Amino acid sequence: MSGPLIGPAEPPALHVMTYNVRRRLGALTWPPADRWSRRRPRLAALLADERPTIVGAQEVLPDQAEVIRDALGPAYRFLGHGRAPGPRGEACPVFYDHTRLSLRDWRQVALSERPDEPGSVSWGSVFPRVYVWATFVDRVTSRELTVVNTHLDAFSSRARRRSAEQLHRVVAGMPGTVVLLGDLNAEPGSAPWRSLMRDRTLDDAWRRAERRLSPEWGTFGGYRRPRAGRRLDALLVSPHVRVHSVAVNARRVDGGWPSDHLPVHALVSLPEPPGAS
């Protein structure tokens, strides 16, 4: 890695990232590239270099959340907790620079027919799935942004489709500007993507970008050389968001990759609220 791909954003722009950081497994994890002891310093170095304004992360265990926050620096906080009752287990936290963004409200919700029941599953999901939404006010521009971060089911296509339909209803009912981040476990053009983008509630930042800073790499890298392929990790935006640049970050860090997924970055600007002069 030789310098950041995008790096810290200069106002009024915001640097947004979605990243499945791969949960920590046991010491005998195979292949060796997947061992957390190897990946932890690589993840910390990448995040310290890029310092996005907002990171929507997936597969995050509590100790990994602390590593991410420490790497980003003292200006960062995070929202979200384990998806199982307790709370326990993997989380989909939203990390943000609180010197730039003022938190207005947030919530974690189950992707199920019982959204208010922690740990609930529906539609054939093997594990509980959640989304975290958080509404911020930009301290520089006074513009409002709601961030939604999620991780759809890896095994059930029905669960992915129904979860995306639930998320579409939620986002369509949100006032103002929305950015949705997440590992959808499905590629553009599939049913989950179509559901989320129905009625132009959201647009694909990759297609909207003024500049693409990388090829359209498949985001499930599997610790291999990057290849064009399935972009499973989504960065979707409300239609009036300006997307200056976008990238799939396939750079190696200290000879390897921090996760079996590759992060997706975008540099965006929020629209002025209606009636602003």
Side-chain angles (χ1 to χ4, degrees):
M1 187 172 67
S2 56
L5 191 59
I6 291 180
E10 291 293 329
L14 301 168
H15 179 180
V16 183
M17 173 195 280
T18 183
Y19 200 3
N20 182 330
V21 301
R22 175 62 169 160
R23 64 172 292 157
R24 168 186 47 75
L25 297 175
L28 299 180
T29 301
W30 187 263
D34 194 45
R35 293 174 186 166
W36 178 237
S37 60
R38 295 190 178 190
R39 297 192 294 111
R40 180 179 58 234
R42 292 169 178 164
L43 177 63
L46 185 152
L47 293 172
D49 209 32
E50 294 289 348
R51 280 197 294 136
T53 322
I54 299 164
V55 181
Q58 302 88 36
E59 286 197 30
V60 183
L61 296 175
D63 61 301
Q64 294 178 300
E66 297 299 331
V67 169
I68 294 169
R69 183 173 62 180
D70 290 347
L72 291 168
Y76 286 78
R77 298 175 179 171
F78 72 90
L79 311 162
H81 50 75
R83 62 193 184 186
R88 297 175 290 107
E90 294 180 22
C92 291
V94 173
F95 296 82
Y96 67 101
D97 179 352
H98 80 92
T99 65
R100 177 69 190 275
L101 300 172
S102 174
L103 177 65
R104 175 168 290 178
D105 195 11
W106 80 280
R107 191 179 173 204
Q108 178 165 309
V109 183
L111 284 167
S112 84
E113 294 174 328
R114 304 178 302 283
D116 296 323
E117 180 182 327
S120 59
V121 296
S122 297
W123 313 310
S125 285
V126 177
F127 302 107
R129 297 290 174 175
V130 301
Y131 66 93
V132 173
W133 66 262
T135 299
F136 302 100
V137 176
D138 186 339
R139 298 181 190 274
V140 175
T141 66
S142 298
R143 297 173 189 175
E144 188 173 291
L145 169 67
T146 297
V147 176
V148 180
N149 182 39
T150 194
H151 186 186
L152 301 190
D153 195 86
F155 305 103
S156 169
S157 60
R158 179 169 178 258
R160 289 192 292 272
R161 177 176 55 82
R162 294 293 297 273
S163 295
E165 291 169 357
Q166 179 181 341
L167 285 164
H168 177 267
R169 290 192 296 271
V170 169
V171 171
M174 289 177 169
T177 303
V178 177
V179 171
L180 185 142
L181 309 169
D183 177 358
L184 302 188
N185 274 307
E187 59 191 302
S190 63
W193 286 72
R194 293 197 307 270
S195 291
L196 288 166
M197 298 170 62
R198 191 171 64 245
D199 303 324
R200 287 206 71 209
T201 300
L202 295 167
D203 285 342
D204 183 359
W206 186 269
R207 305 299 177 205
R208 286 272 311 283
E210 297 166 7
R211 296 179 61 213
R212 295 175 188 163
L213 305 179
S214 77
E216 190 176 2
W217 300 122
T219 56
F220 181 65
Y223 309 110
R224 299 183 296 269
R225 289 183 180 275
R227 297 166 295 177
R230 303 168 69 210
R231 185 162 45 92
L232 306 183
D233 298 81
L235 202 161
L236 307 179
V237 298
S238 291
H240 299 297
V241 171
R242 181 178 179 185
V243 183
H244 302 281
S245 57
V246 70
V248 176
N249 193 342
R251 295 179 174 189
R252 290 189 180 200
V253 182
D254 192 24
W257 290 275
S259 172
D260 60 352
H261 280 246
L262 303 177
V264 182
H265 306 245
L267 191 68
V268 304
S269 291
L270 305 181
E272 292 188 358
S277 58

